[in-house]
Amino acid sequence: MEDIKLLGLWYSPASHRVEWALKIKGVKYEFIEENLQNKSPLLLESNPVHKKIPVLIHNDKPICESMIILEYIDETFEGPSILPKDPYDRALARFWAKFLDDKVAAVVNFFFLKGEEHEKSNEEVCEMLKVLDNELKDKKFFVGDKFGFADIAANFVGYWLGVFQEAFGVVLVTSEKFPNFCAWRDEYVNCSLVKKYLPPKNDLLAFVQASASKA
């Protein structure tokens, strides 16, 4: 019998990426909520290099980093494919997944940093949104017509970004500035494969608001 554990945080988009993939594949797993202020011995033992979540533990073997875990899940378990079968489409999916993953820190910094650092992150986030707005014109998903790897990687900009805007009272994304991105985002959060796997908005909003008050 498979023994599958996921070390994560309920509010973490990286954790949710992994949960998403496991649920799409129909894999049963045990979710273990971590405390980053008091990391468990299991987390420190499973990810001794970075000491961070998420970590998937499959039959006592740990796999770290959300995007690597997604590929592992896709290759290991039966069920709907997450990465495209076509090699070119697979390369595109990996490209956009990396692009999106690399921009998460800049978006978070936009909300939490001040002064010059805030301005720098603002420029980076606006440039990212321009790129995405151009890419998503007339597109349902990032690669082809099937929800997959890059779309899972897009969960932060697709959902968490809107919650951050509401929590901080900052309007970063508008349909006037980024019409294609906004159209994609609205379609994205209401997609059946997305909506049922997202954390409750009110709970997430309360958490981000609490974090904002401490910033």
Side-chain angles (χ1 to χ4, degrees):
M1 185 176 178
E2 303 272 21
D3 180 22
I4 301 163
K5 298 180 177 70
L6 173 60
L7 311 184
L9 294 165
W10 74 268
Y11 57 82
S12 164
S15 288
H16 277 275
R17 289 170 176 171
V18 178
E19 287 203 83
W20 223 336
L22 290 168
K23 288 172 179 174
I24 287 172
K25 289 284 188 178
V27 177
K28 293 183 179 180
Y29 63 98
E30 176 188 359
F31 182 79
I32 301 174
E33 182 82 16
E34 280 290 333
N35 180 350
L36 297 186
Q37 279 65 53
N38 184 24
K39 297 175 183 178
S40 71
L42 182 59
L43 174 59
L44 298 176
E45 177 186 320
S46 302
N47 191 357
V49 176
H50 297 301
K51 303 178 177 63
K52 65 180 185 178
I53 56 95
V55 178
L56 183 75
I57 304 175
H58 181 204
N59 294 334
D60 296 322
K61 296 178 180 178
I63 306 98
C64 306
E65 300 295 322
S66 64
M67 303 314 299
I68 294 172
I69 298 171
L70 290 187
E71 294 210 39
Y72 177 86
I73 291 170
D74 200 29
E75 294 169 359
T76 304
F77 301 106
E78 298 293 330
S81 60
I82 295 171
L83 273 161
K85 296 298 184 185
D86 179 78
Y88 180 70
D89 286 346
R90 199 155 59 238
L92 282 180
R94 288 184 173 125
F95 172 85
W96 286 112
K98 186 175 189 315
F99 177 85
L100 290 154
D101 195 40
D102 287 347
K103 298 301 180 182
V104 170
V107 178
V108 174
N109 287 341
F110 169 84
F111 292 100
F112 283 97
L113 297 182
K114 309 294 182 185
E116 289 185 9
E117 290 179 319
H118 170 81
E119 290 304 317
K120 182 179 179 181
S121 61
N122 180 39
E123 291 176 9
E124 185 174 353
V125 172
C126 286
E127 183 59 33
M128 173 200 74
L129 290 168
K130 288 177 185 176
V131 170
L132 294 179
D133 193 65
N134 182 65
E135 178 62 24
L136 291 166
K137 184 178 181 180
D138 300 323
K139 292 182 72 174
K140 185 174 182 180
F141 298 115
F142 272 91
V143 180
D145 59 358
K146 184 182 176 185
F147 179 88
F149 187 72
D151 304 288
I152 294 175
N155 67 343
F156 187 83
V157 297
Y159 185 66
W160 270 257
L161 176 54
V163 175
F164 269 71
Q165 287 188 126
E166 189 171 341
F168 282 82
V170 175
V171 180
L172 179 64
V173 182
T174 66
S175 56
E176 289 76 25
K177 285 185 179 179
F178 308 108
N180 300 318
F181 174 82
C182 288
W184 166 84
R185 179 199 59 195
D186 295 343
E187 179 75 21
Y188 181 82
V189 297
N190 287 299
C191 169
S192 61
L193 269 175
V194 176
K195 196 171 186 177
K196 61 184 177 180
Y197 297 142
L198 293 173
K201 183 180 177 182
N202 288 340
D203 293 348
L204 189 58
L205 180 60
F207 173 80
V208 176
Q209 286 174 330
S211 300
S213 68
K214 299 173 186 176

